[in-house]
Amino acid sequence: GAGVSQTPSNKVTEKGKYVELRCDPISGHTALYWYRQSLGQGPEFLIYFQGTGAADDSGLPNDRFFAVRPEGSVSTLKIQRTERGDSAVYLCASSPHQGAREQYFGPGTRLTVT
Amino acid sequence: SQKIEQNSEALNIQEGKTATLTCNYTNYSPAYLQWYRQDPGRGPVFLLLIRENEKEKRKERLKVTFDTTLKQSLFHITASQPADSATYLCALDNEGNTPLVFGKGTRLSVIA
């Protein structure tokens, strides 16, 4: 079956620009997570949705980062006024239901801020 | 502060041998511990989950142990194959909806 998909796979943007990264979770999965992974590091948690609401956004580094999931399926991570330090791979994961522990990851979006 | 360490950044072993990867943590009491595999350019893939009251979990050639006294998990791949070459990540998982806390990973290379 279809896994988690993320678009675009690569995004190059200039410092100061606005970007949107999209995640399509596995159909029927209610939990959705965003992580950021820098080279040589493990994924770092950003935000978690249960349904449409952000259940935990404690990992968002500052108010330039924002994410939505308006209909409880597709999610968009939005980054304003991008900085070079935002360059990383942004990973999305979904999980079947609130009690499920394992997460299913997408391939990620590689963001490069020049 | 909470800390999770995967002791080896890279591990090279000969095909057919058992690979053992270590995950240590401090200032944390996870209810579960998960292991993921990540290939270059791809997202992590879930392998195994072990609960705090389980000592050992097996799946085919994989075995995970969890020692909450030592605050350590060991991940074993028996009869290793070149196709097992990848980065392996451990992740701490608490009760409820708290996010996973990942280690940096260990890059395993199985040499034919």
Side-chain angles (χ1 to χ4, degrees), chain A residues 45-98:
Chain A
F45 170 75
L46 295 175
I47 186 169
Y48 154 60
F49 288 90
Q50 185 60 242
T52 60
D56 184 350
D57 65 357
S58 61
L60 295 178
N62 51 59
D63 61 7
R64 295 187 298 106
F65 289 74
F66 188 71
V68 295
R69 194 186 185 199
E71 296 177 359
S73 55
V74 170
S75 176
T76 305
L77 178 66
K78 308 179 182 199
I79 311 175
Q80 298 177 323
R81 305 183 304 280
T82 51
E83 299 177 356
R84 292 196 180 88
D86 299 335
S87 296
V89 175
Y90 288 82
L91 293 163
C92 174
S94 68
S95 195
H97 52 80
Q98 198 163 352

Side-chain angles (χ1 to χ4, degrees), chain A residues 99-102, chain B residues 30-34 48-57 64-68 93 95:
Chain A
R101 310 313 306 182
E102 70 273 19
Chain B
Y32 313 89
L33 196 141
Q34 301 190 29
L48 278 169
L49 175 149
I50 186 165
R51 301 172 198 281
E52 62 178 340
N53 59 355
E54 294 179 311
K55 295 290 186 195
E56 183 179 296
K57 196 85 168 275
V64 171
T65 62
F66 192 10
D67 188 324
T68 55
D93 179 5
E95 288 285 3

